[in-house]
Amino acid sequence: VSYVRSVRAGDVDNTNSALVGYFQLPGGGGHAAAAAQDLIGAILGEMVFTRLRTEETLGYIVAFGVERDETGAAFRVVVQSDTYAPPRLAWRAERCLRTCGEQLRSMDAAAWTQ
């Protein structure tokens, strides 16, 4: 996440914050790329939710998906929290994606067939 914008709420008792992070994917378009992105996105989605929502209890809403438009594709991470500020949410989401990506790269062929 290269840009984090924080806006103070009008209600000083409102401690909620949110992250909508887009992580641009390399490569071109096409059906094969979209299929690979969807497959990896589905696997990462489960991993990201488990890590950020269940294990780290980072926020009460955690969502992950693939976004596409005419310029390319990106993974989208959404976290809403009443505990952490946006810079902290961004840092933890990036760290989670790096760790999950390393886990995906280390999977052997048998793991991919399950």
Side-chain angles (χ1 to χ4, degrees), residues 19 27 40 57 59 81 101:
L19 165 74
I40 293 170
T57 59
S81 174

Side-chain angles (χ1 to χ4, degrees), residues 22 25 36 46 55 64 66 87 89-90 98 106 112:
Y22 290 90
L25 298 173
E46 291 293 324
E55 295 172 5
F64 183 89
V66 178
L89 298 177
R98 272 195 302 277
S106 69
W112 283 98

Side-chain angles (χ1 to χ4, degrees), residues 14-100:
N14 184 348
T15 60
N16 288 290
S17 61
L19 165 74
V20 179
Y22 290 90
F23 300 87
Q24 187 172 357
L25 298 173
H31 298 298
Q37 293 160 356
D38 288 343
L39 172 63
I40 293 170
I43 296 168
L44 277 177
E46 291 293 324
M47 296 169 83
V48 167
F49 182 85
T50 299
R51 171 101 15 114
L52 296 181
R53 174 70 176 95
T54 306
E55 295 172 5
E56 295 186 20
T57 59
L58 183 61
Y60 51 89
I61 294 175
V62 173
F64 183 89
V66 178
E67 292 275 327
R68 283 190 199 83
D69 64 19
E70 61 279 351
T71 63
F75 289 140
R76 181 195 70 243
V77 179
V78 177
V79 181
Q80 189 169 350
S81 174
D82 61 355
T83 308
Y84 300 102
R88 180 76 171 176
L89 298 177
W91 177 76
R92 288 176 73 178
E94 287 181 44
R95 183 184 70 178
C96 176
L97 284 177
R98 272 195 302 277
T99 302
C100 291

